[in-house]
Amino acid sequence: MKLFIDKESKVDDVKKIFTSCYPFLKIELYKKPFANNFIAIKKEPLPATIRLNEFIRTADEIVIDISHNVTVAELESQFNNIGFVTEVFRKSGNVWIASSLTDNWTLQQQNAEGKEISSHF
């Protein structure tokens, strides 16, 4: 699966496409790193209506691989390469938890785990 980002793509478009592929995962995009030398900086996700071309380092269409075998770390690296910090969250019942401790899991594994955990609630 591929996620295509062009000059008209908005943050909300990316989030909706990602969640349509992985209903038990969600992604947040940030324009700055949210931790620096162990001092937390307030997380400010990009607003849903912002066009991504305001922050992308290239004018070309960008393709992000969101295939089942891509790990969270690889996905975050792809977004980092175009100028975004991302964070993937997994559904756990009625809450969303950051997948930072399991960044080596594939998107498919993360989604399956979210489905399993959420089925018990």
Side-chain angles (χ1 to χ4, degrees), residues 85-102:
V85 173
T86 60
E87 192 167 15
V88 175
F89 294 86
R90 181 177 62 234
K91 191 164 183 137
S92 182
N94 295 326
V95 298
W96 293 96
I97 59 171
S99 63
S100 56
L101 295 177
T102 53

Side-chain angles (χ1 to χ4, degrees), residues 29-89:
L29 302 174
Y30 305 89
K31 63 181 174 180
K32 294 183 200 177
F34 43 80
N36 186 10
N37 297 330
F38 304 106
I39 299 171
I41 297 172
K42 184 177 178 185
K43 292 182 183 181
E44 290 290 335
L46 292 172
T49 57
I50 294 285
R51 283 203 169 90
L52 294 177
N53 67 347
E54 294 181 33
F55 303 99
I56 293 177
R57 297 179 188 147
T58 178
D60 299 330
E61 180 179 70
I62 295 167
V63 180
I64 302 289
D65 185 3
I66 59 169
S67 301
H68 294 304
N69 62 338
V70 171
T71 67
V72 169
E74 291 168 340
L75 177 71
E76 291 173 348
S77 177
Q78 290 180 77
F79 275 100
N80 190 47
N81 289 341
I82 61 168
F84 296 99
V85 173
T86 60
E87 192 167 15
V88 175
F89 294 86

